[in-house]
């Protein structure tokens, strides 16, 4: 089966890159929020999120930065916390045909919200 | 802050509808896969997934159909199973400006994969 | 196969009730943290968590109370938030043989931690 | 606050070890089911699950073995799959006071179920 021809011939390459990148953004957030993490494990977690999410279709690169300051400040008596959207900074680069979409997620204080948006399409 | 003006003025209304719908697709899958479910609870779960995911930005409607036949066939000794992508059929209708995107997820036997795609944009 | 005889004959009924209740506590937290929720959807979400988690082995009853005050205070620009451990109050009643364990999860300010503990065994 | 004295003086050391180990079992399953994985990423995922879950209270050691054969057999057109309970083999060693509990999760074909049980307490 030609999946692209059968299921995706109604959207442009640019739209396909946005589509696949956005799926991965939503997936990443809801898969990993809640994971136990602290300053000792944070490098490992960032890397494993990257490795897992780069498997998704049309994904070139995933970068995850977890806010060490927030991690330290919100540390519980038990020396770790549950990962939350507020402390994640994510970049997803997706790509289809000749088009590349750069998507971001960052916590916007004014909105009290981890906003996902398209930074650029090249 | 005008979020649309500040973060989304580089994509079209059509692209925005695709973007928001795709985030919700990825989010839904990774939030709810693993949830205990059986024939008695399945209506309740379908509805609560719908109610939760319709809260996301630019989402008009979410429909979730969980395959009762698969649910019954894969039932364990303990009379329930963990929800998996294979048994979900999802429709997400997102909307921005005058554009509406209809996104689907369905398990495609030939691909052995729960494929997300854009069915239509109107 | 006699599952109880084969896999659980090394622990008491009281221990079995604790074991099964604790699994459900951990499962509930990590399955549902991250779910979109607001004041309009919160009753629905509480109920669907209850219905799903009561399917697990040896579980008599699950009660979930999501803190409406925190829900309202932490509301984002987009009028919903992601469910977090801080806002959940959970009771799980598990039962094996003649023993019933009552387990709780509540956020303890002093610990900055959603503590799970055994309230009573009867 | 003396957490052990305030919240856990009604259960034995042995029961506490079972309780904490069982929470981690349920948590691990429901946190990571759904994660994208393939033969290239599986070592990384096993390790990151271990690192994350060993942060939980009273956990000495977590071992995760993901079934490579199942991973290969169920591979989709897109060269990865979503992690499911069926393909995980887990050992959790928890410990409180002088007591150590060894908990297992393995998929039991006859039950069609990833069974969690207490293997030993020493």
């Amino acid at each position: 089966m030609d999946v692209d021809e059968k299921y995706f011939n109604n959207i442009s390459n640019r739209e396909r890159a946005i589509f696949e990148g956005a799926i991965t953004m939503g997936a990443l957030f809801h898969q990993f929020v809640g994971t136990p993490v602290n300053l000792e494990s944070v490098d490992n977690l960032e890397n494993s999120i990257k490795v897992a999410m780069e498997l998704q279709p049309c994904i070139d690169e995933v970068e995850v930065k977890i806010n060490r300051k927030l991690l330290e400040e919100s540390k519980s008596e038990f020396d770790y916390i549950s990962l939350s959207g507020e402390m994640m900074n994510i970049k997803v680069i997706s790509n289809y045909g000749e088009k590349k979409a750069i998507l971001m997620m960052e916590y916007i204080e004014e909105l009290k919200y981890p906003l996902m948006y398209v930074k650029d399409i090249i």
Side-chain angles (χ1 to χ4, degrees), chain A:
Chain A
M1 184 196 309
D2 182 338
V3 177
D4 294 338
E5 177 52 32
K6 181 156 181 192
Y7 290 100
F8 294 101
N9 68 2
N10 58 343
I11 58 175
S12 69
N13 289 356
R14 187 179 143 108
E15 288 166 345
R16 179 74 183 278
I18 293 173
F19 178 74
E20 299 291 352
I23 289 171
T24 290
M25 270 288 178
L28 188 163
F29 185 98
H30 290 269
Q31 184 63 56
F32 292 101
V33 159
T35 305
V37 62
N38 69 10
L39 281 178
E40 281 69 47
S41 73
V42 65
D43 289 345
N44 181 289
L45 181 58
E46 285 174 346
N47 181 254
S48 79
I49 294 176
K50 172 190 176 69
V51 168
M53 301 315 293
E54 287 181 351
L55 296 179
Q56 302 237 135
C58 307
I59 302 302
D60 263 20
E61 198 182 336
V62 173
E63 275 179 43
V64 182
K65 278 283 152 211
I66 297 169
N67 188 326
R68 270 76 174 160
K69 198 157 158 282
L70 266 181
L71 207 55
E72 192 55 17
E73 283 169 12
S74 48
K75 199 173 64 174
S76 75
E77 178 76 12
F78 296 96
D79 207 23
Y80 77 97
I81 55 156
S82 284
L83 183 66
S84 71
E86 193 176 331
M87 53 185 73
M88 275 194 279
N89 204 298
I90 306 169
K91 183 196 281 189
V92 170
I93 304 179
S94 55
N95 138 66
Y96 187 77
E98 83 287 11
K99 289 297 181 184
K100 210 182 263 276
I102 302 165
L103 283 66
M104 305 294 299
M105 187 190 93
E106 53 184 297
Y107 188 76
I108 311 288
E109 201 63 58
E110 191 183 336
L111 307 175
K112 299 169 70 176
Y113 191 75
L115 188 72
M116 299 176 184
Y117 61 94
V118 179
K119 193 182 176 66
D120 210 356
I121 301 173
I122 51 181

